Amino acid sequence: MRQMVATLAGDVFAGRRVGSPGGRAAAVWLAGHLRAAGVTVALDEFAVSGTVREVYATPQLVFTGERARSLTFRRDFCEHLASADAPQPRSGRLGAAGDFDPAGAWILEDAWSGERAAAAARAGAAGMLIPRGTDAAGWMPKMIAGPATVDIPVLAVRSDIHQQMRTAVGRATVTASVPMRMVDVTGSNVIGTFRRPAPGQANVVLTAHYDGVGDDPGARFPAACDNASGVAAVVEAARVLDQLLPAGVGLAVALLDGEEAGAHGSAHHARSVEAGTYVINLDGAAQLDGAAHVEAGGPARPLLAALDAAGRQVGVPLKAAPMPSDNRRYAAAGLASVGIGMGMPGYQTPAETPDRVEPQTLDRAARLVIATVTHLIASRDGAQAAAGA
């Protein structure tokens, strides 16, 4: 599992953004890994349109008050996902919303508003600056999907710097660029079938997304925790379960693309999954802090009971909590599903490196999935036997 995490987080896959060369290479590598283990593999492609934003050059932001200050991308500021593509630097005076004529100015806003952005664009503003916080390590996590694009450049500035700018309104200038474009791409799910279900037997699909947000120009985003860790754990769990489960029980893994762009891969895959299938999704298996987070959907009562028994067996406390990941697409398709999260240190930043993935958490995640499936099948077989008697 640790080797798989390190491989997926490597330079060759460049952050594994959906539709990128690195993302496609990761799909091919995962398919080859499964085939080498004797698993039947299919690469299932799908389109992602009007969603993915690509930063194709490093944005710039220079704030000039009493002195010129060049801010650091992803530490002091980052792109706002609604921004227009503005690759050439634009300079203008610094102003606050509602205080002056916005024509030619970079306008400070206290919160994002598409309506105010549209009004600023009509008035000829140079751009908008919105406050944003950082994570505990001082990074602004990267995202690639967000609100509709507006007709003006928009940048998110670290909250304390945004406040400093406010004290310099009317006395300072801003020069900034936002080289970011919308790209239509093709994603690819990697579906590995270990065994087909016999008529009347249970079918289990273990899922985890392998895509990340992709590298920035000149900066690595390894995506080791989110979600190379989950991929490694479900592949290992499936390998063990293939040797443990009774004959006739179906077992597959779906390694999903496009989760970071709005769970497009699971939405595409869920339509083809047989009714009655049990789905277990693992998004993050890097650092268990207290309890694993669990969200259930669809007719998941038997699956939840099995997960509860498994958590007690392997010593993983469980906590009901939102898990806005691929599990929701399967639940929306009427399938019994649970989403499990066991930590993502460095989430969507350059600090999300393989050394942040704890071996003991990987091990516990795989054991939790294995125990959940074995409890589920044992309980189902027991119920069928009782009904037959």
Side-chain angles (χ1 to χ4, degrees), residues 17-20 47-56 144 180-186 261:
R17 197 209 74 205
V18 60
S20 68
V48 182
S49 301
T51 300
V52 176
R53 274 73 161 184
E54 177 182 68
V55 175
Y56 58 90
I144 60 172
M180 181 182 70
R181 58 195 169 204
M182 188 87 72
V183 292
D184 292 340
V185 299
T186 299

Side-chain angles (χ1 to χ4, degrees), residues 92-147:
R93 66 191 184 282
L94 181 64
D99 293 345
F100 72 113
D101 178 4
W106 282 90
I107 303 171
L108 291 168
E109 288 279 359
D110 289 332
W112 168 247
S113 165
E115 292 78 8
R116 294 182 70 85
R122 290 193 298 270
M128 290 182 64
L129 303 171
I130 310 297
R132 181 179 172 182
T134 65
D135 68 7
W139 290 103
M140 293 181 172
K142 179 180 179 180
M143 295 174 284
I144 60 172

Side-chain angles (χ1 to χ4, degrees), residues 298-383:
R301 185 179 296 273
L303 191 50
L304 269 178
L307 178 58
D308 179 65
R312 298 173 191 276
Q313 176 185 331
V314 302
V316 175
L318 307 176
K319 175 183 179 180
M323 279 297 298
S325 186
D326 291 307
N327 46 287
R328 293 187 174 179
R329 298 293 195 172
Y330 295 101
L335 300 166
S337 70
V338 293
I340 304 170
M342 297 177 66
M344 300 176 184
Y347 174 70
Q348 294 182 183
T349 74
E352 196 186 323
T353 50
D355 61 292
R356 306 292 297 277
V357 179
E358 298 176 345
Q360 61 269 32
T361 299
L362 269 180
D363 180 75
R364 296 174 81 184
R367 291 180 185 274
L368 179 66
V369 172
I370 292 164
T372 298
V373 176
T374 53
H375 278 288
L376 175 68
I377 300 307
S379 174
R380 192 174 186 275
D381 289 349

Side-chain angles (χ1 to χ4, degrees), residues 45 73 84 196 366:
E45 295 188 343
F73 184 52
R196 292 285 304 158

Side-chain angles (χ1 to χ4, degrees), residues 5-6 8-9 16 221-230 286 352-357:
V5 170
L8 288 172
R16 310 189 305 278
F221 280 71
C225 307
D226 178 25
N227 186 36
S229 64
E352 196 186 323
T353 50
D355 61 292
R356 306 292 297 277
V357 179

Side-chain angles (χ1 to χ4, degrees), residues 178-239:
V178 194
M180 181 182 70
R181 58 195 169 204
M182 188 87 72
V183 292
D184 292 340
V185 299
T186 299
S188 182
N189 293 332
V190 181
I191 311 301
T193 303
F194 285 73
R195 37 156 91 187
R196 292 285 304 158
Q201 294 294 309
N203 190 39
V204 177
V205 178
L206 309 180
T207 66
H209 76 89
Y210 71 86
D211 65 304
V213 293
D215 289 350
D216 278 344
R220 289 294 336 279
F221 280 71
C225 307
D226 178 25
N227 186 36
S229 64
V231 170
V234 300
V235 169
E236 176 64 7
R239 184 191 69 80

